[in-house]
Amino acid sequence: MNNVSYQIENNVRLSCDVLVIGSGAGGASAAKVLVDHGFDVLMVEEGPYVPAGQGPSELHESFATQWRNAGITAALGKPTVAYAEGRCVGGGTEINSAIIQQTPESLLEDWARKYKIRDFGPQQLQPYYDDVKRIVNSSLTPPPLGRASELLREAGEKMGWRVTEVERGQRGCVGANMCTHGCPSRGRQSMLNTILPEALGKGMRLISDCRVSRLVVEGGRVTRAVAKAKDGQGKHHTVIIWPKQVFVCAGAIYTPHLLRRSGIKKNVGNTLKMHPTVKVMGVFPEKVDAHLSRFPLYAVTEFMPNMRMGGSLISLSLAGIYCGEDWSTRGWMMDKLENIASYYSMVRSDGSGYVRPVMNFAEPLVTYRLTKRDWHWLTLGSSKLAQALFAAGATHVYPSIQSHSGWHDQASCTEFLDRGLPQSKTRLMSVHLFSSCPMGEDDTWSATDSFGNVHGVANLTLADASQIPEAPGTNPQGTIMALALRNARAYCEKREIAA
Amino acid sequence: MKHPIITAMMPFAALLSAEEDERLKREISSFLSRAIRNAPWFVQAAALILTPLLWVFLLPSIIIAKGEASAFHVKCRKTVLFLSIWGGPFASLIQLYQYLCALYYYEHPIILQRYGLEPPALRQERYRKIREKMILENP
């Protein structure tokens, strides 16, 4: 069927106990709890259904089908930060590297105190993290990890830093190096490989290619959701859904976008946070073959939670994107594909951004402003990472700065330490966005209570990255899933008590 | 001397014959249009306003190059580099075009073949079989 559980060919009206909007890490986790408690769950997903393991073979095709706006999304500011989100059944978990990390305990304690969040300390969240790890089989990836991984480990160790091998949601990863286009071997334990088939088997209904445009709030309750679903011929049909309860799990951009479009504006979309990331490409005299093996599976955790260094996928096309920043100084590397590897420094930003719907446009306007502290860490991160790569034997290191001619030794990569990275030329990107609808008991600044229930709307709960109070400095999938499980269980317990 | 914007974003295509180069640029051009159509409205608006302006900046390259392909290429690239140095929306649009052009170009079967790389569909299939075998042996 075109839309998974339905073949939408006309305008339709549906009803359910719980409507879950979004099928990524948050939506799927919330749906699992709700289905297990016997609720009649209807899940809607804006993106298409791409069966697990059947993703496109090329990245540009994957962008068109599985990524939001064909991979062209940006938070405006100085500079513009490119960000990426999944837009398919399974959401971001179908295009990420499935790294599962817990938010540091000190941060959780700090957030609980600072934002007055009930039952939120490390001890209270640990059972949820344990459930997440079990669901996605969070584990170390089977060896061999590849030379690009080893080089990052050697680089960190030579600098005397703490280096950690990262756990991933994987079961028998065979290292196809195609995480970004829907793992072809199904080794990555995305939502399509774990929760969603189980929930569908237990009676959950799922409509793909269906975008909720607004929630109708009457008398302090959401009475219905208005959506448009696309049929097999690309025609759009109106879908009206009458739910008893709504879980919005559309991510840090589209959750506040939907809420604001529905007239729910209090503390919504004002506090977007992210992990701005600066990439560097290292050229080594030895054969690394990073394009044929797994992405680097070690992380330099010495500077966490302020900054983390790691490695990313490289392929001929991704190398082309880096070199395309300036062919005259970098073009030669295209003939050295087997010698290059890609790494990054990811910063826990304390900057902030807005998400605002714009009348008559489907996409929101997203802005982000980095702080001096963010630039300090980005500068330090790129410089230190380059130093470490030289220590591991790199002959050239190229930061992602427009027209930069690259660094050729350890001394040269300190050039920005005094004056900072050139803000207009540095190309920043982020795949981690959070905090746009923060939780807490103080409704002067929070959008929801401690369990995701939106202030002033009786039957509306959030369960996604928008709830994380600040940037965690770690890969967020584990925390998103843990919070979604927690919020959904709190709802179920409340219903059981009421019954 | 067609496709000056795409030419400006690409390495000099010594790997390709003139016909292959022309065909690839046509395909990249249609890919760019598709990608921009799927982009957010503010990216579409920037492309609509700034692309003709970029074309105007590249026009002298066509005149100076006098029909010589490599000279045309060098001129176009220098113009784009000069424009991108100043930052702002113009540089962001150039960055987007560079990114999309390189992505499509280096995923094209002709280019992959020239680099001696395995076609991605075959690679996917190979890894599916590896894992299937692994699961059979260690269920």
Side-chain angles (χ1 to χ4, degrees):
Chain A
M1 288 198 183
N2 292 325
N3 307 92
V4 188
S5 302
Y6 292 91
Q7 183 120 24
I8 306 264
E9 290 175 329
N10 295 300
N11 296 345
V12 286
R13 285 167 176 258
L14 300 164
S15 63
C16 58
D17 285 342
V18 186
L19 169 66
V20 177
I21 301 169
S23 65
S29 303
K32 175 186 165 49
V33 174
L34 296 163
V35 168
D36 287 346
H37 278 77
F39 288 102
D40 166 30
V41 177
L42 173 63
M43 176 181 274
V44 293
E45 163 59 47
E46 181 189 352
Y49 170 61
V50 181
Q54 302 299 315
S57 57
E58 286 152 344
L59 185 55
H60 72 267
E61 286 299 331
S62 170
F63 279 164
T65 50
Q66 296 175 295
W67 293 59
R68 171 148 328 263
N69 294 122
I72 307 171
T73 37
L76 303 181
K78 193 183 170 189
T80 294
V81 184
Y83 67 83
E85 282 191 321
R87 196 198 61 115
C88 57
V89 175
T93 68
E94 302 303 322
I95 55 165
N96 71 4
S97 47
I99 293 174
I100 302 294
Q101 290 178 304
Q102 294 189 202
T103 298
E105 290 188 0
S106 57
L107 275 183
L108 292 176
E109 282 164 359
D110 186 39
W111 293 347
R113 203 172 36 247
K114 193 166 152 190
Y115 299 108
K116 297 179 184 146
I117 309 170
R118 282 195 289 129
D119 299 334
F120 191 72
Q123 284 172 344
Q124 289 95 330
L125 282 185
Q126 195 55 49
Y128 299 106
Y129 275 122
D130 292 341
D131 282 352
V132 170
K133 288 179 177 180
R134 189 181 43 74
I135 290 167
V136 298
N137 192 42
S138 178
S139 51
L140 296 177
T141 308
L145 300 185
R147 190 68 191 124
S149 281
E150 295 303 328
L151 280 169
L152 184 61
R153 184 180 55 78
E154 285 171 25
E157 285 174 356
K158 281 189 177 164
M159 299 295 284
W161 297 335
R162 190 172 65 243
V163 182
T164 315
E165 189 178 343
V166 289
E167 284 195 1
R168 296 170 61 221
Q170 61 83 31
R171 197 180 291 277
C173 166
V174 286
N177 197 29
M178 288 175 146
C179 299
T180 47
H181 9 336
C183 174
S185 70
R186 303 186 62 181
R188 178 187 47 206
Q189 297 300 287
S190 65
M191 296 304 104
L192 265 181
N193 280 316
T194 52
I195 293 177
L196 291 175
E198 192 189 323
L200 286 166
K202 288 179 180 173
M204 182 183 85
R205 292 170 287 161
L206 168 62
I207 311 178
S208 64
D209 292 294
C210 181
R211 179 177 170 130
V212 177
S213 54
R214 77 191 161 94
L215 304 171
V216 179
V217 182
E218 289 166 336
R221 294 181 65 81
V222 177
T223 53
R224 59 195 185 276
V226 182
K228 287 272 181 199
K230 198 161 71 174
D231 68 15
Q233 281 73 47
K235 282 185 190 164
H236 287 87
H237 306 282
T238 301
V239 179
I240 309 270
I241 303 161
W242 300 79
K244 291 177 186 157
Q245 174 74 26
V246 180
F247 271 71
V248 182
C249 316
I253 303 293
Y254 282 82
T255 289
H257 180 56
L258 175 62
L259 261 51
R260 290 193 79 95
R261 282 184 80 126
S262 309
I264 303 161
K265 296 180 181 174
K266 191 176 177 190
N267 303 320
V268 168
N270 301 336
T271 49
L272 178 71
K273 303 271 182 192
M274 62 167 72
H275 286 154
T277 301
V278 63
K279 288 201 172 190
V280 302
M281 189 153 68
V283 187
F284 295 86
E286 62 179 295
K287 218 173 168 186
V288 181
D289 279 338
H291 63 297
L292 299 176
S293 63
R294 296 180 169 95
F295 71 94
L297 287 166
Y298 286 101
V300 174
T301 49
E302 177 73 16
F303 308 100
M304 276 177 70
N306 292 314
M307 177 183 67
R308 207 199 72 186
M309 298 171 188
S312 46
L313 281 177
I314 190 85
S315 63
L316 186 67
S317 57
L318 293 173
I321 290 169
Y322 291 129
C323 295
E325 289 173 10
D326 185 358
W327 289 112
S328 56
T329 56
R330 303 180 186 198
W332 63 275
M333 283 191 289
M334 292 311 296
D335 294 328
K336 299 268 180 199
L337 187 62
E338 67 271 22
N339 300 89
I340 61 178
S342 168
Y343 301 98
Y344 63 81
S345 281
M346 176 184 98
V347 168
R348 182 174 169 259
S349 168
D350 64 359
S352 177
Y354 289 92
V355 180
R356 289 286 182 272
V358 180
M359 205 179 281
N360 297 327
F361 289 106
E363 307 303 325
L365 187 68
V366 181
T367 61
Y368 201 80
R369 184 189 285 262
L370 290 137
T371 62
K372 271 188 183 171
R373 180 191 165 279
D374 296 342
W375 281 110
H376 164 75
W377 279 105
L378 285 166
T379 307
L380 204 66
S382 54
S383 178
K384 282 195 174 292
L385 178 56
Q387 283 179 330
L389 294 178
F390 280 119
T395 53
H396 299 78
V397 175
Y398 288 87
S400 198
I401 299 172
Q402 179 72 43
S403 326
H404 192 277
S405 55
W407 294 315
H408 307 292
D409 52 44
Q410 267 195 329
S412 61
C413 54
T414 57
E415 67 168 314
F416 294 118
L417 281 181
D418 291 336
R419 53 198 160 106
L421 291 172
Q423 297 189 6
S424 60
K425 290 188 194 173
T426 304
R427 294 185 168 183
L428 298 178
M429 55 95 60
S430 180
V431 288
H432 303 158
L433 303 141
F434 336 87
S435 315
S436 49
C437 303
M439 59 170 142
E441 292 303 314
D442 185 351
D443 69 358
T444 54
W445 60 266
S446 65
T448 75
D449 70 8
S450 297
F451 298 94
N453 303 306
V454 175
H455 296 308
V457 187
N459 61 343
L460 180 58
T461 306
L462 310 186
D464 60 15
S466 68
Q467 287 272 279
I468 301 176
E470 286 179 10
T474 54
N475 287 55
Q477 185 184 329
T479 302
I480 296 168
M481 290 180 72
L483 284 182
L485 292 174
R486 172 182 173 272
N487 289 1
R489 274 183 206 156
Y491 167 74
C492 293
E493 281 165 18
K494 196 170 79 179
R495 284 294 303 267
E496 278 161 14
I497 290 165
Chain B
M1 294 298 161
K2 288 177 189 169
H3 309 294
I5 292 177
I6 293 164
T7 303
M9 308 298 162
M10 301 306 304
F12 186 66
L15 291 166
L16 303 172
S17 67
E19 296 92 72
E20 284 173 334
D21 188 57
E22 180 55 33
R23 185 186 133 202
L24 210 61
K25 282 178 180 160
R26 250 197 332 267
E27 287 182 25
I28 293 173
S29 172
S30 101
F31 170 66
L32 277 183
S33 312
R34 277 201 315 271
I36 298 291
R37 264 203 306 276
N38 284 323
W41 58 272
F42 51 87
V43 176
Q44 291 186 31
L48 194 72
I49 297 162
L50 298 177
T51 305
L53 207 58
L54 185 57
W55 229 100
V56 171
F57 275 111
L58 290 169
L59 206 58
S61 307
I62 300 174
I63 299 159
I64 297 166
K66 293 175 186 163
E68 215 273 288
S70 65
F72 173 59
H73 199 105
V74 170
K75 296 284 171 205
C76 286
R77 255 171 43 186
K78 280 187 176 170
T79 310
V80 161
L81 200 58
F82 173 76
L83 293 170
S84 60
I85 282 170
W86 306 106
F90 217 74
S92 297
L93 185 73
I94 288 171
Q95 182 185 339
L96 176 66
Y97 282 161
Q98 281 173 338
Y99 153 77
L100 292 172
C101 289
L103 176 68
Y104 191 89
Y105 180 86
Y106 284 108
E107 287 200 324
H108 199 280
I110 296 176
I111 302 298
L112 288 173
Q113 196 190 9
R114 296 291 194 277
Y115 274 88
L117 293 172
E118 186 182 21
L122 290 184
R123 184 181 168 84
Q124 274 190 326
E125 200 45 48
R126 186 161 64 83
Y127 277 97
R128 276 184 200 125
K129 283 181 182 157
I130 291 173
R131 187 161 183 274
E132 273 166 23
K133 193 174 163 223
M134 199 180 80
I135 299 276
L136 274 177
E137 286 167 3
N138 303 299

